[in-house]
Amino acid sequence: SLGPMNEERSKPEAQRPRDTDEPGSGGPTAGPAAAVPSAPPELLDPKTEATVDALLETVRHLLEEENSRDQSFNTRGVGLAGFVGIVVSLSATLGHDALAAHWGAPWKGIVVGLFAGALASPVGSAVVVVIGVLRPRETATLGIVEVEKHPLPEYIYAPKVMNQGRIMGGLIDALIIERSRAGSKATGLHWGYRLLLVGLTCISILGFLLGLHDAKLIGMPHVGRTIQAR
């Protein structure tokens, strides 16, 4: 009869394995996504994605502010270094005139000390600014080792929130480094301005004393009166 024959033919067809299994069914082939662990339902919630988007945007905004702050410090450092060059030239010219004048005690030692301060303080300011502000340094950014993983399935098939969390962690590390570097540059500029102020004060006092000397009010040797006998 035809009944048993049809049953025999349909039996191998029912036992034939399927070409593709459903994800999560434990079949022999599940694709590259099987290597990525399933995400909790909370990570797929639109509210969670919106929160992570806001946090990531905040971190990026803070990092942009730190970069702008760093550029501002560099601009101030360049301006301060250029002004220091003018101050040093002025100190050398004024010091030459002051040391060439004839000073009496104790003005000679005072003039030498003021000239040394007027010359050393701006130079120290320039050194502090160059080392603390203008010295080239490495830029903080996402690690290249982490970026090289982006084409891999662990990133491609991962939920958006998980990828954003990893990127946010790298940006936060870069933000910490940039903020620490900006604080170091701010300290360098602070001491650079202080040393420059000391140099300008010494120059002002030196110029004031030199003016009094030219007016013959200080620094001239004392000449005693002599009485001539008739």
Side-chain angles (χ1 to χ4, degrees), residues 31-206:
V36 180
S38 58
E42 294 81 2
L43 296 181
L44 304 178
D45 189 357
K47 294 182 179 179
T48 304
E49 292 184 0
T51 302
V52 175
D53 286 338
L55 294 175
L56 184 59
E57 185 65 24
T58 301
V59 174
R60 285 174 176 170
H61 180 68
L62 292 175
L63 192 56
E64 290 177 358
E65 287 184 350
E66 289 300 326
N67 290 333
S68 300
R69 187 184 177 196
D70 183 78
Q71 293 298 326
S72 176
F73 287 150
N74 291 338
T75 303
R76 295 180 186 180
V78 171
L80 181 59
F83 185 71
V84 164
I86 299 175
V87 173
V88 170
S89 177
L90 179 62
S91 301
T93 303
L94 187 61
H96 179 270
D97 295 338
L99 296 178
H102 297 284
W103 299 88
W107 298 108
K108 187 68 174 181
I110 295 176
V111 169
V112 172
L114 289 174
F115 174 65
L119 200 60
S121 296
V123 173
S125 175
V127 171
V128 170
V129 169
V130 170
I131 295 179
V133 180
L134 301 180
R135 179 170 57 91
R137 302 181 184 181
E138 296 181 355
T139 304
T141 183
L142 292 176
I144 189 62
V145 177
E146 191 71 20
V147 175
E148 289 176 348
K149 297 180 182 179
H150 287 182
L152 300 180
E154 61 179 291
Y155 267 92
I156 295 177
Y157 295 100
K160 175 183 176 182
V161 174
M162 295 181 64
N163 288 335
Q164 286 180 327
R166 293 179 180 178
I167 295 175
M168 187 176 0
L171 292 179
I172 290 175
D173 292 339
L175 178 62
I176 293 174
I177 296 175
E178 290 292 337
R179 182 158 294 183
S180 175
R181 181 178 302 170
S184 176
K185 290 188 176 183
T187 302
L189 279 176
H190 176 75
W191 284 104
Y193 283 124
R194 280 192 171 187
L195 291 173
L196 180 61
L197 183 60
V198 171
L200 291 176
T201 302
C202 292
I203 292 174
S204 300
I205 298 175
L206 186 60

Side-chain angles (χ1 to χ4, degrees), residues 17-23 25 27-30:
R18 290 175 293 177
D19 294 335
T20 58
D21 294 331
E22 295 295 331
S25 62
T29 57

